[in-house]
Amino acid sequence: AVSSIAGVAASATSSSATAYNAQAIFALCSWPFSLKLLWAPIVDSFFSERFGRRKSWLVPVQTIAALLMIGGSDYVETQLGLGTAAMADVSSSGLDVKGVTMFFFSLYFLMATQDIAVDGWALTMLSKRNRGRGPVCNSIGQNIGYFLSFVGFLALNDAESSENLWRPLLRMESNPK
């Protein structure tokens, strides 16, 4: 979901009058996934014995990410020009590329940390025979998630799909007023 929102933000920087350097700055938000190799030993080494090696990272990361998404939603919505009042704000003041990049960099950092903890958890849970299947399941799950967050979102937001597919499927009346 985070990558979906970041994709929208990237397209907002490319569709506006923003310069190429703004797109280059925004591209920095994906660095945490590239630098997981440096961060992974720290995530694996520091934990609370009482809470557990993986939960010591997963619970706080999920909580902080949720609070960050809830707290930053208005800011990102305004910066991306979603809504009528926001469109006027963006066109008059310009997109705060550095602010949006820091917001998504923080989210990507949290998600990269979560990814490290989940990968470690999978290694401890799976038997030696099944360890090779863990990354395959992870990859399949991520692709299903990407599909649902992109294609699923578009299908749910399309008025024609709503009228022709979802309303009949859910036995709802057509075009309610």
Side-chain angles (χ1 to χ4, degrees):
V2 173
S3 62
S4 303
I5 300 167
V8 170
S11 68
T13 61
S14 66
S15 64
S16 66
T18 314
Y20 286 117
N21 64 349
Q23 293 178 28
I25 291 170
F26 187 74
L28 296 174
C29 72
S30 64
W31 275 24
F33 275 95
S34 300
L35 301 174
K36 279 189 339 181
L37 189 62
L38 301 174
W39 179 234
I42 296 169
V43 171
D44 206 36
S45 299
F46 295 102
F47 59 93
S48 166
E49 287 282 340
R50 196 182 71 176
F51 203 49
R53 176 170 277 198
R54 308 305 171 200
K55 281 193 264 180
S56 294
W57 287 95
L58 288 174
V59 172
V61 161
Q62 287 290 302
T63 304
I64 294 167
L67 293 173
L68 186 62
M69 284 191 264
I70 291 168
S73 62
D74 288 336
Y75 170 73
V76 171
E77 186 174 273
T78 301
Q79 289 304 313
L80 296 181
L82 302 172
T84 54
M87 290 296 269
D89 290 346
V90 171
S91 62
S92 64
S93 64
L95 179 66
D96 178 19
V97 177
K98 291 180 183 175
V100 172
T101 300
M102 285 305 300
F103 177 81
F104 283 106
F105 183 90
S106 302
L107 279 176
Y108 270 67
F109 178 76
L110 292 169
M111 294 304 105
T113 304
Q114 172 187 300
D115 201 38
I116 293 166
V118 168
D119 287 347
W121 194 8
L123 285 175
T124 57
M125 281 192 326
L126 295 173
S127 66
K128 286 188 182 204
R129 192 177 125 236
N130 289 331
R131 284 190 184 157
R133 295 180 181 143
V136 173
C137 292
N138 189 7
S139 179
I140 291 170
Q142 284 182 349
N143 284 320
I144 290 170
Y146 289 143
F147 175 77
L148 291 175
S149 64
F150 286 115
V151 177
F153 178 75
L154 291 174
L156 290 173
N157 272 331
D158 181 43
E160 187 177 330
S161 294
S162 176
E163 283 299 315
N164 298 331
L165 178 66
W166 303 116
R167 289 186 183 280
L169 185 68
L170 299 172
R171 293 185 173 91
M172 297 173 68
E173 75 177 65
S174 181
N175 201 9
K177 298 285 178 182

